[in-house]
């Protein structure tokens, strides 16, 4: 994609949970029925909770003008009509920035990089905010106005992304810098002067390469005019699939209903289907719903086929063998589809015996059930969730509502504030959003600060339940973080703003207050992982900020955060019954009574009861994704692309439709929204599971999950760099950072300083040279340190290694994650 577009459609923000939910709906899991918002259509407002627990009184730092704040705290957004004006102004500003880019000489190339990043930031500030508003606002007028602006800016972005003049300035700038470095090495006079050379830091080089790559993925570099035009056309078409596909999934008229008995029918909306798959005791009814849901929404069939064909051609015209290869080429850990498929297939073989055991247990449950089934004890697709829920019930002897006493929302928020302070030294100040600042009643505003780093940004929290609320937990970026260039009146940091939507659908049995199920608490932690990644990211450029990192490591922090929910020491902070403590108090960490350890054990075990089956399902999805966006997609014949870019071999016409990959008769892929957003990159979730399982131990969190030293390591090595390090360098840095066994902030430790230098080494020879100069290390020293990190990461699991080299790329080691599943703790 393009500099800006890649930022928009960037995967990290849409978290696994939502799409995974749509998927589960059709095929497998779905947790407790009480999570289903359909079953509780009441409007719940958080307003009172906040004040009851003393948040409302806290100043929101800049509260002097709180009455005047607009949507997301932006004074320019007070009425829906403001979107249009904002979009027009954004285009004007970007036009001016573009003119500046075209006016800049290649010798001042680093300024070109800064200007393009600025442009991308201007566009993202409006587009991301509009995208968020379009999805979350409770007022349809706001949603409509924002949606219109998304289309308008999408078209503008597409034009910018194909701007040849801008591309030439960027490549010229990079070429001038690289030729100067080469000249220096040969002791010749470089083209750039010392000041011009010094302007290029490691991150500038990195972002210049990324921007260039992104523009090339939009085809701007192709020599043939007709190819360029075709790529532009395909890229524009590709931009629409995700929204169309996912909109159909939440449109009751498109998903339809199924008649299940005389006078009884059920909506095929994902959340409803999910709930029924868990709770409906009649197998025939479950089967009917499953089969009907598996063919709905029918309109997604064509959309999916178009998408596969469009993406395949998009890749081919640009000389990539497949769309998956194109996605991985932009800087990923996997690097090649071959590495991904080899990893997935190996893991599938390894997990099969465990999945078989779980299935056996479900079969026994079915055989023993009082309702004799005509299909005997065979477990069908529509049985898995139902019997998995029964298996959980057997393990969990406590009442399902027992946990809700400890997860009342304000108490959980108090716990989260303590957790994030203890581990990351982040101070979360929570207050109610000002009128007009939020998008629905009860939205909370969290201002986050760090004692040394200063203000970190703002997170809006929307935990209320209401009809029409965005169906799954999600984090939307609204403003990105970055350094504001001194030339743009800054010098400080632009603080990020995000929206976190999650749910609390339970009710505390003693106080009647809204509370979270165990699953909802995990999901909240997952989303907080994304938010903290963004809050703690310290990149210079917004294009590399936080979750704008490589597609296959973006879910690692959020999966790591999920482990907090299985640790009794952390849960003793998060889940407490604080109802007896003085109302209005801000809640000390040890106030009230903690969730009993026995209950937590049951909850963790309950979650793990079908962990292998669930992993298997993720593997199937990931493999399907690799196939759909691979060299030989289903359908076809995929051979009529312009011969000048090479004709694929062996593309004989295939009658296979996508659905045949799955089960005959249904098309679960019609409901897997992630396949549109994460096309070719869905494997990132499996990578994240395996990496998080290892990093939980490696960073020291498993030993001491509340330890700020471990937190510091995670902050500096995993979250701070955002996308400013290639994934392999990032992970090598973590390996060597842990080995240094210390807080890496201290440069008095030579090993730590060396490690910092090693990760600073980046991917290009130029960057190594710059890093070496800055750290006063010889290039060979830097290279050796970097190699040491890689050696550690690639060592055997017994020696602490957590990566493997495979087929020209890299994958996590999976043994530790499988070990957790085996031990009944693999629910993460
Ligand atoms: Zn996520």
């Amino acid at each position: 994609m393009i500099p800006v577009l890649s930022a928009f459609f960037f995967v990290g923000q849409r978290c696994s949970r939502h799409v995974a939910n749509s998927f589960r709906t059709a095929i497998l899991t779905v947790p407790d029925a009480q999570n289903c918002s359909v079953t509780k259509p009441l409007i719940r407002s958080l307003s009172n909770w906040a004040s009851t627990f003393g948040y409302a009184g806290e100043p929101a730092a800049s509260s002097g003008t709180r009455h005047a704040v607009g949507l997301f705290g932006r004074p320019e957004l007070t009425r829906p009509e403001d979107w249009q004006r904002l979009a027009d102004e954004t285009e004007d500003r970007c036009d001016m920035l573009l003119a500046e880019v075209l006016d800049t000489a290649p010798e001042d190339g680093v300024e070109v990089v800064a200007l393009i990043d600025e442009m991308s930031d201007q566009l993202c500030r409006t587009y991301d905010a509009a995208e968020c508003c379009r999805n979350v606002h409770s007022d349809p007028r706001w949603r409509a106005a924002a949606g219109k602006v998304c289309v308008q800016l999408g078209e503008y972005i597409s034009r910018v992304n194909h701007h040849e003049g801008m591309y030439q300035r960027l490549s010229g700038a990079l070429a001038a810098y690289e030729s100067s470095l080469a000249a220096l090495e040969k002791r010749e006079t470089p083209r750039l002067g010392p000041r011009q050379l010094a302007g290029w830091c490691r991150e500038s080089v990195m972002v210049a390469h990324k921007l260039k790559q992104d523009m090339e993925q939009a085809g701007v570099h192709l020599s043939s005019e007709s190819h360029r035009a075709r790529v532009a056309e395909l890229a524009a078409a590709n931009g629409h699939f995700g929204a169309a596909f996912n909109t159909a999934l939440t449109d009751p008229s498109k998903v339809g209903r199924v008649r299940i008995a005389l006078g009884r029918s059920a909506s095929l909306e994902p959340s409803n289907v999910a709930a029924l798959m868990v709770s409906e005791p009649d197998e025939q009814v479950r089967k009917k719903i499953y089969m009907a849901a598996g063919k709905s929404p029918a309109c997604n069939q064509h959309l999916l086929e178009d998408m596969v064909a469009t993406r395949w051609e998009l890749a081919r015209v640009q000389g990539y063998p497949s769309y998956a290869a194109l996605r991985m080429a932009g800087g990923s850990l996997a690097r090649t589809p071959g590495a991904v498929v080899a990893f997935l297939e190996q893991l599938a073989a390894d997990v099969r015996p465990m999945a078989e055991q779980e299935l056996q247990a479900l079969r026994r449950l079915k055989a023993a059930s009082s309702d004799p089934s005509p299909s005997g004890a065979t477990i069908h697709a529509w049985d898995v969730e139902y019997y998995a829920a029964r298996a959980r019930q057997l393990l969990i002897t406590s009442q399902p509502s027992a946990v809700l006493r400890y997860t009342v929302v304000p108490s959980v928020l108090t716990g989260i504030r303590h957790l994030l302070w203890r581990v990351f030294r982040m101070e979360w100040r929570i207050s109610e959003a000002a009128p007009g600042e939020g998008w629905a009643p009860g939205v909370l505003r969290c201002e986050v600060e760090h004692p040394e780093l200063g203000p970190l940004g703002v997170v809006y929290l929307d935990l209320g339940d209401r009809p029409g609320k965005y169906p799954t937990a999600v984090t939307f970026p609204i403003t990105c973080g970055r350094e504001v260039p001194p030339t743009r009146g800054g010098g400080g940091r632009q603080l990020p703003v995000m929206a976190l939507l999650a749910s609390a659908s339970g009710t505390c049995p003693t106080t009647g207050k809204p509370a979270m199920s165990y699953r909802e608490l995990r999901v909240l932690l997952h989303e907080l992982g994304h938010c903290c990644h963004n809050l703690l990211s310290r990149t210079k450029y917004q294009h590399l900020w936080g979750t704008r990192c490589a597609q296959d490591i973006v879910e690692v922090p959020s999966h790591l955060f999920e482990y907090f929910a299985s640790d009794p020491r952390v849960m003793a902070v998060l889940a407490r019954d604080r109802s007896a403590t003085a109302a209005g108090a801000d809640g000390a960490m040890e106030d009230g009574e903690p969730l009993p350890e026995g209950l937590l054990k049951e909850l963790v075990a309950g979650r793990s009861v079908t962990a292998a089956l669930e992993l298997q399902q993720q593997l199937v999805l990931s493999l399907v994704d690799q196939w759909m966006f691979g060299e030989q997609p289903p359908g076809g014949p995929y051979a009529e692309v312009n011969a000048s870019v090479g004709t694929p071999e062996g593309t004989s016409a295939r009658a296979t439709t996508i659905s045949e990959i799955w089960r005959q008769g249904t098309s679960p892929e019609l409901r897997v929204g992630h396949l549109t957003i994460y096309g070719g990159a869905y494997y990132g979730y499996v990578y994240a599971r395996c990496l998080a399982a290892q990093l939980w131990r490696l960073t020291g969190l498993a030993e001491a999950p509340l330890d700020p030293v471990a937190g510091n390591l995670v902050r500096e090595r995993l979250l701070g760099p955002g996308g400013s390090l290639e994934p392999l360098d990032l992970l090598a840095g973590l390996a060597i950072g842990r080995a240094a066994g210390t807080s890496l902030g201290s440069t008095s430790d030579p090993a730590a300083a060396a490690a910092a230098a090693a990760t600073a080494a980046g991917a290009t020879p130029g960057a190594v040279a710059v890093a070496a100069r800055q750290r006063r290390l010889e290039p060979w020293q830097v290279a050796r340190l970097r190699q040491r990190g890689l050696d550690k990461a690639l060592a055997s699991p017994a020696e602490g290694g957590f990566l493997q080299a495979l087929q020209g790329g890299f994958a996590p080691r999976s043994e530790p994650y499988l070990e957790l599943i085996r031990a009944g703790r693999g629910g993460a």
Side-chain angles (χ1 to χ4, degrees), residues 12 14-17 526-527 530 555 558 685:
R14 310 276 170 105
C15 158
S16 66
R17 292 303 170 185
H526 178 106
E527 295 303 330
H530 287 309
E555 289 289 334
S558 52
Y685 285 110

Side-chain angles (χ1 to χ4, degrees), residues 11-363:
V11 286
Q13 5 245 308
R14 310 276 170 105
C15 158
S16 66
R17 292 303 170 185
H18 4 121
V19 194
N21 276 352
S22 346
F23 157 67
R24 286 179 180 143
T25 297
I27 323 173
L28 255 194
T29 80
V30 153
D32 20 15
Q34 64 182 3
N35 286 335
C36 167
S37 57
V38 176
T39 59
K40 293 204 176 205
L42 298 172
I43 299 182
R44 290 161 178 277
S45 161
L46 274 161
S47 335
N48 298 331
W49 316 347
S51 47
T52 310
F53 281 76
Y55 299 132
E58 282 193 39
S62 54
S63 58
T65 53
R66 293 302 295 279
H67 59 280
V69 297
L71 183 64
F72 309 139
R74 293 190 189 172
E76 66 271 29
L77 282 173
T78 56
R79 305 165 308 156
E81 304 83 85
D82 291 338
W83 277 119
Q84 188 58 56
R85 189 179 35 77
L86 190 59
D88 294 341
E89 285 171 7
T90 302
E91 289 192 10
D92 290 346
R93 276 197 296 274
C94 288
D95 284 344
M96 287 194 283
L97 287 164
L98 182 57
E100 275 191 69
V101 169
L102 299 178
D103 247 3
T104 308
E107 287 74 19
D108 298 318
V110 77
E111 182 58 17
V112 169
V113 176
L115 285 166
I116 298 179
D117 191 66
E118 170 82 25
M119 214 165 135
S120 176
D121 184 62
Q122 288 289 339
L123 283 166
C124 287
R125 275 173 63 84
T126 305
Y127 187 100
D128 286 346
E131 174 71 13
C132 178
C133 176
R134 180 173 85 79
N135 281 290
V136 307
H137 211 292
S138 55
D139 183 337
R141 289 170 306 158
W142 276 95
R143 288 201 302 272
K148 207 169 138 238
V149 157
C150 285
V151 174
Q152 177 188 332
L153 286 178
E155 284 161 9
Y156 181 86
I157 288 158
S158 174
R159 285 199 301 279
V160 169
N161 286 327
H162 294 91
H163 197 288
E164 288 168 46
M166 187 166 95
Y167 175 73
Q168 280 157 9
R169 293 303 181 285
L170 181 62
S171 351
L174 204 48
Y177 168 70
E178 288 181 340
S179 70
S180 297
L181 278 190
L184 279 176
E185 268 167 40
K186 287 188 264 171
R187 299 182 186 280
E188 291 165 6
T189 312
R191 184 172 161 194
L192 303 189
R195 244 197 59 226
Q196 289 164 327
L197 261 177
W200 285 89
C201 66
R202 182 185 63 75
E203 226 187 291
S204 312
V205 179
M206 171 106 176
V207 81
H209 275 289
K210 291 257 175 242
L211 288 164
K212 184 164 174 271
Q213 249 168 18
D214 287 346
M215 287 191 88
E216 286 172 0
Q217 292 202 344
V220 68
H221 64 306
L222 298 174
S223 54
S224 140
E225 173 69 36
S226 63
H227 279 172
R228 279 203 304 275
R230 183 66 185 145
V231 170
E233 201 180 322
L234 291 167
N238 192 23
H240 295 300
F241 291 127
F245 190 95
N246 290 305
T247 304
L249 270 179
T250 50
D251 180 343
S253 70
K254 295 229 163 87
V255 290
R257 299 182 71 85
V258 60
R259 245 184 62 156
I260 45 182
L262 205 62
R264 191 183 162 205
S265 72
S267 157
L268 291 174
E269 280 178 83
S271 52
N272 195 45
V273 174
L276 289 169
M277 282 295 125
V278 170
S279 62
E280 173 55 55
D282 185 332
E283 179 178 353
Q284 289 312 308
V285 173
R286 282 201 307 273
K287 182 179 176 183
K288 263 189 190 163
I289 296 168
Y290 179 87
M291 296 303 279
K295 291 174 187 144
S296 132
C299 56
N300 277 3
Q301 184 71 52
H302 290 295
L303 214 54
L304 204 62
E305 279 163 13
D306 279 356
M307 182 170 68
V308 167
T310 300
R311 290 177 171 182
W312 187 85
E313 191 186 341
L314 191 60
R316 285 291 173 143
V317 177
Q318 295 175 72
Y320 290 96
S322 67
Y323 186 70
L326 178 149
R327 288 290 303 265
M328 288 172 212
S332 63
L333 179 62
R335 298 191 184 185
T336 68
V340 171
V341 172
F343 165 78
L344 294 172
E345 284 178 346
Q346 181 58 51
L347 187 50
D350 291 344
V351 79
R352 186 167 301 147
M354 279 184 270
E356 192 46 54
Q357 275 176 15
E358 289 176 4
L359 211 52
Q360 192 59 40
L362 298 189
R363 267 188 219 115

Side-chain angles (χ1 to χ4, degrees), residues 761-778:
T764 64
V768 173
V770 170
R773 273 202 307 277
Q774 287 169 349
R775 304 275 178 181
R776 298 177 185 196
L777 286 172
E778 295 296 324

